[in-house]
Amino acid sequence: DQLVFLTGAFKMTADKPEGPYTYQAPVVFGGFDGQTRSGNSVNYKDTDLEVVLGPLASLPTRYKTSKWGDFYPNPIDPCTFFDEDGELWMAYGSWSGGIFMLKLDKHTGLRDYTYTYSGTGTTPNAAATSDAYFGKKIAGGYYVSGEGPYIQHIGSYYYLFMSYGGFAPNEGYEMRVFRSDKPDGPYIDASGKAATYTDQNRWVLNYGPSAATNRGMK
């Protein structure tokens, strides 16, 4: 009966809300493409990638990309929730590659390694909405703004709340909402527009009075 704190990468537990929290295990990692950032790089051998994909002789080609945000999420801003069947899920990510969803083990709070996802190609595919390691994309992508996912079941639907925009003196953050009849989507707004973006919407401005596209109920 421990309290569980999940980040985009780790599970930590404590006996009291104020801690102290102790590291337990990884949930998901990102940026293990061998690129050096701020003088550091992450080796995929130090992640749980091989727990998901099995033993690897080298990093799969699809993860060797200098344009990480074209394909994959930033593993931050996690939101965990139980669906109506008692299963545990985690939505996470922001901007860049979009918001993704992973099924968690409801007994441990870690990734459910028995639950698999499509997306095992040998080259990056920006059009893919699923990846064997990162899970299923449910919103955003192509460097369009969107972060801080929060999902709640209300009535007959699962509602995805998220923030568009960013730090700015004006035309900053605004909240949008989509809904789905399944916890892992697809999520759409009242006009039937999907929460996910495509290559035709790359880098599009999706908030503020000068927005080039408008989807999600504000």
Side-chain angles (χ1 to χ4, degrees), residues 2-7 9-15 20-27 108-110:
Q2 288 184 312
L3 297 161
V4 176
F5 173 74
L6 284 164
T7 73
F10 311 109
K11 169 189 172 182
M12 304 180 75
T13 61
D15 296 318
Y21 283 86
T22 303
Y23 169 81
Q24 298 294 332
V27 177
T108 66
L110 298 173

